[in-house]
Amino acid sequence: MMEPIARWFKWLSSTHGLNYSVFFDNYDQTLFLKGLQTTIFLSLACIFLSIMVGLIGAWLQGSRLRAARIGTAMFVQFFRNTPPLVQLAFFYYAVSSLLPTLTDQFGAQAPIINNLGWAIISFSLFAGAFNIEIFRSGIEAVPTAMTEAAESLGYTRFQIYRIVVVPIAFRICLPSLGNNLVNLVKTTTLAYAIGVPELLYASAQIWSEAMNVREMMVLLLITYVALVAVLVGLMQRWERSLRIPGYIA
Amino acid sequence: MLGQPLIEIDHVEKSFHNTVVLRDISMKITKGECACIIGPSGSGKSTLLRCINALVPVSRGSIIVDGIQVNDPNLDKLALRRKVGIVFQQYNLFPHKTAIQNIAMAPINVLGRPKEESYERARQLLAKVKLSEKADAYPGELSGGQQQRVAIARSLAMNPLVMLFDEVTAALDPETKKEVLFTIRDLAAEGMTCILVTHEMGFASEVADHVYFTDGGMIVESGTPTDIFKAAQNDRTRAFLSQVL
Ligand SMILES: Nc1ncnc2c1ncn2[C@@H]1O[C@H](COP(=O)(O)OP(=O)(O)O)[C@@H](O)[C@H]1O
Ligand SMILES: [Mg+2]
């Protein structure tokens, strides 16, 4: 622990009654940092998987198979039009109980997928549904002349998607994707409801012990502002690195 | 020289839903020939070119390209497209790839050629269209005429037997138009089989072996450039030429 900082927050606590225990109490600090770590892990996993869901869904939406198109449309409707907290509960309480359990080395029954796993699955599908729509709008903005040129060069539909459509569409929809990912990071706090020890959950544990709800709320909000700022910064850098000289999307 | 035709278009018809776009088109194009298709806009010229490389299926009739039956439901599209290069009116280079990448990509991805060899060949083709110094420029950094020349090189990289050009100079200003037309003229002179849709009548009469005048989805009249431009028999041909010349 950084000694001077800890000392200052201790002084703040004793003189002004503002109890930022996270900065001087080892136990609370560990709890908070573990929560931060879980939130970051949860966010990164969901960002990656939701982009995959978006890419696969956008591909299926352009499929020749009617069933694939209808299935994707239903998926999008379901996950976009229902509250993410209800979706999470649905997976954790309803779907989970339908799956077989594993027997651990002590003979106890353990679920195949734990609460963190369900949070990842649930939020990835939720954000993925939005990503499908975002990618679709990007794909529709790719001029058909370009895909036709690729087609006439002998590229297969999948190659056209991978080599021509996705790179161009991705650049077009990067700003909307950024917005959705910011929302996703904020949505991860819902995992609190099923006991995933992410930031909000860890903070609640801390304030119920240390009775410092107000201070923890401030800290929590500042932490999310910082997390989102990092994400937005990375997205902007990504956008810049993908910029094509002379090309106006 | 006049052997088996390389491309044989036989009584081709094409409709989109209820709109008849091509009615009864027949053509024979021999190896090394340069055929020019002229005609008013909407007469089905682009549709015909797109039928030849199976971007759209024909409704009736038959097209054979170097022994490949294009209207066969089990058509091997890749085999066909290796033989047929096409350059469109709209610029459609891949905007996220440099000029040289645009040219080298398809041989690598589609034909599975080695990278080194493909880039070497791309460099030669860039030199051929006189754009060696633009190898690393992105399409957005090139003029319209330069983009079209890269697009021609991109098609040539697949070593096609025939090149289709669909009004490739229509969107260009007169100066850059010339660069592109010279490139096409050189190709034709080297013996590349070409089918060229164009509104440049002067150019058509210079390079064409055969000129087809289409109107309303039909070939109204065809013949040598002299036949068509100097001694057209049909009233519609004459009316069209008097408007554009
Ligand atoms: N995909 C399509 N669906 C419906 N109509 C089309 C399609 N493509 C072309 N057409 C119609 O076919 C006609 C001929 O078009 P086109 O071949 O582009 O003519 P041209 O190249 O001679 O100007 C036009 O009336 C056009 O509207
Ligand atoms: Mg046209």
Side-chain angles (χ1 to χ4, degrees):
Chain A
M1 201 187 299
M2 305 264 288
E3 228 8 86
I5 296 175
R7 234 178 298 130
W8 188 80
F9 275 105
K10 233 176 192 157
W11 167 84
L12 189 70
S13 174
S14 56
T15 54
H16 293 77
L18 292 172
N19 181 11
Y20 285 94
S21 58
V22 165
F23 292 97
F24 54 80
D25 183 287
N26 252 325
Y27 181 76
D28 285 3
Q29 186 168 61
T30 310
L31 220 52
F32 191 81
L33 289 180
K34 280 234 168 86
L36 181 62
Q37 208 183 342
T38 305
T39 289
I40 291 173
F41 172 74
L42 184 59
S43 299
L44 289 179
C46 293
I47 286 173
F48 177 75
L49 290 173
S50 71
I51 290 176
M52 291 299 127
V53 170
L55 288 175
I56 295 167
W59 161 262
L60 289 175
Q61 265 189 339
S63 165
R64 264 186 287 265
L65 291 175
R66 218 172 105 83
R69 292 198 304 269
I70 292 175
T72 313
M74 277 164 52
F75 171 85
V76 170
Q77 290 294 317
F78 178 80
F79 281 98
R80 207 183 44 175
N81 301 355
T82 56
L85 182 56
V86 179
Q87 291 168 15
L88 182 65
F90 168 74
F91 279 110
Y92 187 61
Y93 297 112
V95 178
S96 180
S97 62
L98 295 176
L99 299 180
T101 52
L102 296 173
T103 310
D104 66 18
Q105 73 257 46
F106 308 111
Q109 298 294 299
I112 289 183
I113 300 170
N114 65 8
N115 52 359
L116 179 62
W118 282 118
I120 291 174
I121 291 172
S122 174
F123 300 147
S124 297
L125 295 178
F126 170 68
F130 284 88
N131 284 347
I132 291 175
E133 290 294 283
I134 290 169
F135 289 154
R136 190 183 62 157
S137 69
I139 286 169
E140 280 169 1
V142 176
T144 44
M146 233 162 262
T147 53
E148 251 173 15
E151 205 184 332
S152 63
L153 286 167
Y155 283 95
T156 61
R157 191 171 101 83
F158 183 65
Q159 283 179 320
I160 295 172
Y161 188 70
R162 190 170 56 84
I163 299 169
V164 180
V165 175
V166 170
I168 300 171
F170 201 71
R171 287 169 167 88
I172 296 172
C173 59
L174 212 49
S176 340
L177 178 68
N179 281 338
N180 189 36
L181 296 184
V182 166
N183 267 326
L184 171 60
V185 169
K186 295 186 292 185
T187 304
T188 58
T189 49
L190 294 180
Y192 172 82
I194 58 169
V196 175
E198 45 69 67
L199 259 181
L200 178 58
Y201 187 91
S203 302
Q205 276 186 311
I206 294 168
W207 77 55
S208 61
E209 279 286 319
M211 310 298 273
N212 56 350
V213 182
R214 235 180 308 147
E215 292 89 331
M216 284 313 295
M217 280 300 173
V218 171
L219 188 59
L220 202 50
L221 289 174
I222 291 173
T223 309
Y224 274 100
V225 167
L227 276 180
V228 169
V230 169
L231 177 62
V232 169
L234 287 175
M235 291 299 292
Q236 276 168 358
R237 261 180 65 171
W238 200 8
E239 221 170 303
R240 256 197 311 269
S241 75
L242 287 178
R243 194 165 293 162
I244 312 162
Y247 182 66
I248 313 114
Chain B
M1 195 68 211
L2 283 173
Q4 185 76 359
L6 186 62
I7 298 178
E8 210 168 345
I9 300 168
D10 196 28
H11 297 294
V12 159
E13 295 175 32
K14 173 66 191 174
S15 326
F16 293 105
H17 306 291
N18 294 324
T19 340
V20 181
V21 175
L22 299 178
R23 42 187 113 219
D24 199 16
I25 299 266
S26 297
M27 283 181 179
K28 280 192 174 73
I29 287 147
T30 49
K31 194 164 168 8
E33 183 181 336
C34 178
C36 281
I37 303 175
I38 60 172
S41 138
S43 61
K45 307 180 297 292
S46 300
T47 305
L48 179 61
L49 293 194
R50 295 154 64 81
C51 286
I52 294 174
N53 78 341
L55 279 174
V56 293
V58 301
S59 307
R60 210 187 289 264
S62 126
I63 298 179
I64 300 172
V65 176
D66 192 39
I68 297 180
Q69 189 80 45
V70 177
N71 50 303
D72 181 348
N74 301 317
L75 167 72
D76 178 355
K77 284 190 178 166
L78 175 57
L80 174 69
R81 283 166 187 166
R82 288 178 62 165
K83 294 178 191 281
V84 182
I86 184 165
V87 183
F88 302 90
Q89 174 180 341
Q90 310 93 323
Y91 317 141
N92 49 34
L93 293 176
F94 307 131
H96 58 303
K97 301 284 178 181
T98 60
I100 192 142
Q101 287 171 336
N102 262 282
I103 300 169
M105 272 167 75
I108 296 170
N109 295 327
V110 176
L111 305 179
R113 292 272 156 75
K115 232 177 162 161
E116 292 271 304
E117 180 195 315
S118 303
Y119 274 90
E120 185 45 45
R121 172 107 173 96
R123 239 177 291 281
Q124 290 167 8
L125 287 166
L126 266 180
K128 189 185 176 82
V129 299
K130 303 191 172 58
L131 285 172
S132 291
E133 75 286 359
K134 296 290 184 188
D136 297 317
Y138 284 88
E141 300 172 307
L142 299 175
S143 74
Q146 291 170 334
Q147 289 187 49
Q148 287 299 54
R149 279 142 70 200
V150 175
I152 293 171
R154 180 175 66 175
S155 283
L156 291 176
M158 298 294 280
N159 285 323
L161 286 175
V162 53
M163 286 288 291
L164 314 179
F165 296 97
D166 189 359
E167 295 193 39
V168 291
T169 58
L172 302 178
D173 56 73
E175 250 333 286
T176 48
K177 214 171 247 186
K178 256 188 240 156
E179 310 164 349
V180 179
L181 293 178
F182 287 162
T183 306
I184 297 172
R185 188 191 59 193
D186 293 348
L187 267 181
E190 284 167 23
M192 172 64 78
T193 312
C194 298
I195 305 180
L196 186 66
V197 171
T198 186
H199 283 299
E200 304 295 320
M201 299 306 156
F203 182 69
S205 65
E206 184 190 342
V207 300
D209 296 307
H210 217 95
V211 179
Y212 296 84
F213 171 68
T214 59
D215 192 10
M218 307 231 297
I219 295 171
V220 174
E221 193 168 357
S222 74
T224 64
T226 322
D227 292 341
I228 300 295
F229 294 116
K230 299 271 157 53
Q233 302 297 308
N234 191 288
D235 289 341
R236 275 195 283 173
T237 317
R238 281 203 293 267
F240 174 75
L241 289 174
S242 70
Q243 273 171 12
V244 295
L245 286 180

